[in-house]
Amino acid sequence: MGLSVTRTGNTFVAEIGGVDLAQPLDEATVEAIRQAWWDNSILVFRGQNLTQEQHVAFSGHFGELQGHTVKDWLLPTHPEILVLSNRGRGGVKPLENGGAYWHSDITYQAVPPMGSILYGLTVPPEGGDTLYADMHAAYEALDEETKALIADRVAIHNYKHRYLLMAEGGRRPDPTPEQLAEWQDVEHPVVLVHPESGRKCLFVNEGFTVSIKGLEKEESDALLQRLCAHSVKPQFVYAHKWRPGDIVMWDNRSTMHCATPYDAEKYERTMHRTTIKGITGQRAAAA
Ligand code: SIN
């Protein structure tokens, strides 16, 4: 059976069938997946069974991989893999509430990742979904006044504020001086022109966007809060209910995501994530 691309009820999510990601993929198959990815932002593959090497090899088709600023969560044997596990599998410290707030990955770096590929190894039978927000649709649905207000605006992103919130709540160790030195402000446009499609999308998130440059704190906080609340309205959101063996790959430039709660005493939730560096314009380069 050949590769199939089936849109789900949402406008930005497709399920890909007819492909075993554990096998080496030919260039035509990789290109078909890449095309589906640009067309949909979120791709879902069901029933996969990958070794760590195969997860890394599949991810590597889409660009160079990167780790994470908190090295404790990287798999020692494969540091390209971030382990999100409440049981701390593979010699990695347990990580609860890893992505349990709306965010796009690593926007606190000057060049944020283009995408991530999350593999569900052990998933709870209830809860622990991942929600995804379509930031193209969210931008397009804004009223003209708001679009004019945010056009050409720049936002500041930083990891420090998010990490310290977690550390103060006792959910993270105190940051090291090296980490604090690394976590500097970076700037990104509030409205990103997607390098593959040319479509505009909102590029702010609750996790790491700390302010909008040039606005007073009160105004900046209120605008960020309004943009984030707007983006996660039900009509823009897809909820992925995990089954073991699922792989979800998302375009990090045009989506936000958020893990939902589950009973962490009762259930294990272990996910492996690879993250693809922010190379942009692959479609343009290929054309
Ligand atoms: C992440 O934020 O990258 C992981 C989300 C999840 O665990 O559902």
Side-chain angles (χ1 to χ4, degrees), residues 141-173:
L142 288 171
D143 59 67
E144 293 307 317
E145 199 183 325
T146 306
K147 283 183 183 167
L149 179 66
I150 61 176
D152 304 322
R153 286 271 172 203
V154 165
I156 310 287
H157 298 238
N158 197 323
Y159 189 56
K160 192 174 354 187
H161 119 106
R162 168 63 42 187
Y163 189 95
L164 292 179
L165 270 180
M166 302 286 224
E168 279 158 20
R171 284 174 288 160
R172 299 283 182 273

Short mmCIF file of all heavy atoms in Angstrom, two decimals, residues 141-173:
data_model
loop_
_atom_site.label_atom_id
_atom_site.label_comp_id
_atom_site.label_asym_id
_atom_site.label_seq_id
_atom_site.Cartn_x
_atom_site.Cartn_y
_atom_site.Cartn_z
N ALA A 141 -7.94 34.93 11.77
CA ALA A 141 -9.24 35.24 12.38
C ALA A 141 -9.21 36.53 13.22
O ALA A 141 -10.26 36.97 13.71
CB ALA A 141 -9.68 34.07 13.26
N LEU A 142 -8.03 37.13 13.37
CA LEU A 142 -7.98 38.38 14.15
C LEU A 142 -8.71 39.50 13.42
O LEU A 142 -8.74 39.53 12.18
CB LEU A 142 -6.52 38.81 14.34
CG LEU A 142 -5.67 37.99 15.30
CD1 LEU A 142 -4.20 38.43 15.18
CD2 LEU A 142 -6.15 38.13 16.74
N ASP A 143 -9.26 40.46 14.17
CA ASP A 143 -9.89 41.60 13.51
C ASP A 143 -8.80 42.52 12.94
O ASP A 143 -7.63 42.45 13.34
CB ASP A 143 -10.81 42.35 14.50
CG ASP A 143 -10.04 42.84 15.71
OD1 ASP A 143 -9.18 43.73 15.54
OD2 ASP A 143 -10.24 42.31 16.83
N GLU A 144 -9.20 43.35 11.99
CA GLU A 144 -8.23 44.17 11.25
C GLU A 144 -7.48 45.13 12.19
O GLU A 144 -6.31 45.42 12.01
CB GLU A 144 -8.92 44.95 10.13
CG GLU A 144 -9.45 44.04 9.01
CD GLU A 144 -8.38 43.11 8.44
OE1 GLU A 144 -7.24 43.55 8.20
OE2 GLU A 144 -8.70 41.91 8.25
N GLU A 145 -8.18 45.60 13.22
CA GLU A 145 -7.55 46.54 14.17
C GLU A 145 -6.39 45.85 14.90
O GLU A 145 -5.29 46.43 15.06
CB GLU A 145 -8.62 46.99 15.17
CG GLU A 145 -8.28 48.26 15.91
CD GLU A 145 -9.36 48.60 16.93
OE1 GLU A 145 -10.55 48.34 16.66
OE2 GLU A 145 -8.98 49.08 18.00
N THR A 146 -6.63 44.62 15.32
CA THR A 146 -5.56 43.90 16.03
C THR A 146 -4.42 43.57 15.08
O THR A 146 -3.24 43.68 15.44
CB THR A 146 -6.12 42.61 16.68
OG1 THR A 146 -7.23 42.96 17.49
CG2 THR A 146 -5.07 41.92 17.53
N LYS A 147 -4.78 43.18 13.85
CA LYS A 147 -3.71 42.89 12.87
C LYS A 147 -2.82 44.13 12.67
O LYS A 147 -1.59 44.03 12.60
CB LYS A 147 -4.31 42.46 11.53
CG LYS A 147 -4.80 41.02 11.54
CD LYS A 147 -5.31 40.65 10.16
CE LYS A 147 -5.88 39.24 10.15
NZ LYS A 147 -6.64 38.94 8.96
N ALA A 148 -3.47 45.30 12.60
CA ALA A 148 -2.69 46.54 12.40
C ALA A 148 -1.84 46.83 13.64
O ALA A 148 -0.70 47.28 13.53
CB ALA A 148 -3.64 47.70 12.12
N LEU A 149 -2.39 46.54 14.81
CA LEU A 149 -1.68 46.80 16.07
C LEU A 149 -0.40 45.96 16.20
O LEU A 149 0.61 46.41 16.73
CB LEU A 149 -2.64 46.49 17.24
CG LEU A 149 -2.13 46.67 18.66
CD1 LEU A 149 -1.86 48.15 18.94
CD2 LEU A 149 -3.16 46.14 19.66
N ILE A 150 -0.45 44.72 15.68
CA ILE A 150 0.70 43.82 15.89
C ILE A 150 1.62 43.74 14.67
O ILE A 150 2.71 43.18 14.76
CB ILE A 150 0.25 42.40 16.30
CG1 ILE A 150 -0.62 41.75 15.22
CG2 ILE A 150 -0.44 42.42 17.65
CD1 ILE A 150 -1.01 40.31 15.54
N ALA A 151 1.18 44.32 13.55
CA ALA A 151 2.03 44.28 12.34
C ALA A 151 3.37 44.94 12.68
O ALA A 151 3.41 45.98 13.34
CB ALA A 151 1.34 45.01 11.20
N ASP A 152 4.44 44.32 12.29
CA ASP A 152 5.80 44.86 12.50
C ASP A 152 6.22 44.95 13.97
O ASP A 152 7.27 45.51 14.27
CB ASP A 152 5.95 46.26 11.85
CG ASP A 152 5.60 46.23 10.37
OD1 ASP A 152 5.95 45.22 9.73
OD2 ASP A 152 4.95 47.16 9.89
N ARG A 153 5.41 44.40 14.88
CA ARG A 153 5.83 44.37 16.30
C ARG A 153 6.83 43.23 16.52
O ARG A 153 6.78 42.21 15.84
CB ARG A 153 4.64 44.14 17.21
CG ARG A 153 3.74 45.33 17.34
CD ARG A 153 4.21 46.22 18.49
NE ARG A 153 3.49 47.46 18.53
CZ ARG A 153 3.94 48.56 19.10
NH1 ARG A 153 5.11 48.59 19.67
NH2 ARG A 153 3.21 49.65 19.13
N VAL A 154 7.66 43.41 17.53
CA VAL A 154 8.67 42.40 17.88
C VAL A 154 8.43 41.97 19.32
O VAL A 154 8.11 42.81 20.17
CB VAL A 154 10.09 43.03 17.72
CG1 VAL A 154 11.15 42.18 18.38
CG2 VAL A 154 10.41 43.24 16.24
N ALA A 155 8.55 40.68 19.58
CA ALA A 155 8.37 40.17 20.95
C ALA A 155 9.70 39.66 21.50
O ALA A 155 10.58 39.22 20.77
CB ALA A 155 7.34 39.04 20.96
N ILE A 156 9.81 39.74 22.83
CA ILE A 156 10.99 39.23 23.54
C ILE A 156 10.64 37.84 24.09
O ILE A 156 9.58 37.66 24.71
CB ILE A 156 11.35 40.13 24.74
CG1 ILE A 156 11.42 41.61 24.34
CG2 ILE A 156 12.64 39.66 25.43
CD1 ILE A 156 12.58 42.01 23.53
N HIS A 157 11.55 36.89 23.87
CA HIS A 157 11.37 35.52 24.39
C HIS A 157 12.56 35.19 25.30
O HIS A 157 13.68 35.59 25.02
CB HIS A 157 11.33 34.51 23.25
CG HIS A 157 10.19 34.70 22.28
ND1 HIS A 157 9.26 33.72 22.03
CD2 HIS A 157 9.85 35.76 21.50
CE1 HIS A 157 8.38 34.17 21.13
NE2 HIS A 157 8.72 35.40 20.78
N ASN A 158 12.30 34.46 26.36
CA ASN A 158 13.37 34.05 27.27
C ASN A 158 12.91 32.80 28.03
O ASN A 158 11.74 32.67 28.35
CB ASN A 158 13.71 35.18 28.26
CG ASN A 158 15.04 34.98 28.93
OD1 ASN A 158 15.42 33.85 29.24
ND2 ASN A 158 15.77 36.06 29.17
N TYR A 159 13.84 31.88 28.30
CA TYR A 159 13.50 30.64 29.02
C TYR A 159 13.52 30.85 30.54
O TYR A 159 12.90 30.12 31.29
CB TYR A 159 14.50 29.55 28.63
CG TYR A 159 14.15 28.16 29.15
CD1 TYR A 159 12.91 27.59 28.84
CD2 TYR A 159 15.05 27.42 29.90
CE1 TYR A 159 12.59 26.31 29.29
CE2 TYR A 159 14.73 26.14 30.34
CZ TYR A 159 13.51 25.59 30.03
OH TYR A 159 13.19 24.33 30.46
N LYS A 160 14.28 31.86 30.97
CA LYS A 160 14.55 32.03 32.40
C LYS A 160 13.26 32.14 33.20
O LYS A 160 13.08 31.47 34.22
CB LYS A 160 15.38 33.32 32.58
CG LYS A 160 15.95 33.44 33.96
CD LYS A 160 16.90 34.62 34.16
CE LYS A 160 17.28 35.42 32.97
NZ LYS A 160 18.29 36.43 33.17
N HIS A 161 12.34 32.96 32.70
CA HIS A 161 11.13 33.24 33.48
C HIS A 161 10.31 31.95 33.65
O HIS A 161 9.82 31.64 34.72
CB HIS A 161 10.37 34.37 32.78
CG HIS A 161 9.01 34.07 32.30
ND1 HIS A 161 7.88 34.53 32.92
CD2 HIS A 161 8.59 33.33 31.25
CE1 HIS A 161 6.83 34.11 32.27
NE2 HIS A 161 7.22 33.38 31.26
N ARG A 162 10.23 31.13 32.59
CA ARG A 162 9.47 29.86 32.68
C ARG A 162 10.15 28.89 33.64
O ARG A 162 9.54 28.29 34.50
CB ARG A 162 9.38 29.26 31.27
CG ARG A 162 8.88 27.84 31.17
CD ARG A 162 7.48 27.64 31.65
NE ARG A 162 6.54 28.67 31.24
CZ ARG A 162 5.27 28.74 31.67
NH1 ARG A 162 4.81 27.85 32.51
NH2 ARG A 162 4.49 29.70 31.26
N TYR A 163 11.48 28.78 33.50
CA TYR A 163 12.21 27.83 34.34
C TYR A 163 12.12 28.23 35.81
O TYR A 163 11.90 27.40 36.70
CB TYR A 163 13.68 27.75 33.89
CG TYR A 163 14.42 26.62 34.58
CD1 TYR A 163 14.54 25.37 33.99
CD2 TYR A 163 14.98 26.80 35.86
CE1 TYR A 163 15.19 24.32 34.63
CE2 TYR A 163 15.63 25.76 36.51
CZ TYR A 163 15.73 24.52 35.89
OH TYR A 163 16.36 23.49 36.54
N LEU A 164 12.27 29.53 36.08
CA LEU A 164 12.22 29.98 37.48
C LEU A 164 10.84 29.76 38.10
O LEU A 164 10.73 29.42 39.28
CB LEU A 164 12.64 31.45 37.59
CG LEU A 164 14.12 31.72 37.28
CD1 LEU A 164 14.43 33.20 37.40
CD2 LEU A 164 15.05 30.90 38.18
N LEU A 165 9.80 29.90 37.29
CA LEU A 165 8.45 29.61 37.80
C LEU A 165 8.36 28.16 38.28
O LEU A 165 7.81 27.87 39.34
CB LEU A 165 7.42 29.78 36.67
CG LEU A 165 6.77 31.13 36.46
CD1 LEU A 165 5.80 31.05 35.29
CD2 LEU A 165 6.00 31.55 37.72
N MET A 166 8.93 27.27 37.48
CA MET A 166 8.93 25.84 37.82
C MET A 166 9.82 25.59 39.04
O MET A 166 9.46 24.83 39.94
CB MET A 166 9.44 25.00 36.65
CG MET A 166 8.67 25.18 35.37
SD MET A 166 7.08 24.37 35.47
CE MET A 166 7.01 23.58 33.90
N ALA A 167 10.99 26.23 39.05
CA ALA A 167 11.94 26.01 40.16
C ALA A 167 11.34 26.51 41.48
O ALA A 167 11.46 25.86 42.52
CB ALA A 167 13.27 26.69 39.86
N GLU A 168 10.65 27.67 41.40
CA GLU A 168 10.03 28.21 42.63
C GLU A 168 8.95 27.28 43.14
O GLU A 168 8.72 27.15 44.34
CB GLU A 168 9.43 29.61 42.36
CG GLU A 168 10.47 30.70 42.39
CD GLU A 168 10.03 31.95 41.62
OE1 GLU A 168 8.82 32.12 41.39
OE2 GLU A 168 10.93 32.74 41.24
N GLY A 169 8.27 26.59 42.23
CA GLY A 169 7.23 25.63 42.62
C GLY A 169 7.83 24.29 43.04
O GLY A 169 7.08 23.32 43.25
N GLY A 170 9.16 24.19 43.09
CA GLY A 170 9.81 22.96 43.52
C GLY A 170 9.82 21.88 42.44
O GLY A 170 10.19 20.73 42.68
N ARG A 171 9.45 22.25 41.22
CA ARG A 171 9.36 21.24 40.17
C ARG A 171 10.62 21.17 39.30
O ARG A 171 10.69 20.37 38.38
CB ARG A 171 8.12 21.49 39.29
CG ARG A 171 6.84 21.06 40.00
CD ARG A 171 5.62 21.45 39.21
NE ARG A 171 5.41 22.89 39.27
CZ ARG A 171 4.67 23.57 38.39
NH1 ARG A 171 4.10 22.96 37.41
NH2 ARG A 171 4.51 24.87 38.53
N ARG A 172 11.58 22.03 39.60
CA ARG A 172 12.86 21.99 38.89
C ARG A 172 13.95 22.34 39.88
O ARG A 172 13.71 23.13 40.81
CB ARG A 172 12.91 23.04 37.76
CG ARG A 172 11.85 22.89 36.66
CD ARG A 172 12.20 21.76 35.69
NE ARG A 172 11.21 21.68 34.64
CZ ARG A 172 10.08 20.97 34.71
NH1 ARG A 172 9.80 20.26 35.78
NH2 ARG A 172 9.24 20.94 33.69
N PRO A 173 15.19 21.78 39.70
CA PRO A 173 16.29 22.21 40.55
C PRO A 173 16.64 23.67 40.25
O PRO A 173 16.29 24.18 39.19
CB PRO A 173 17.45 21.29 40.14
CG PRO A 173 17.05 20.67 38.85
CD PRO A 173 15.57 20.78 38.71
#
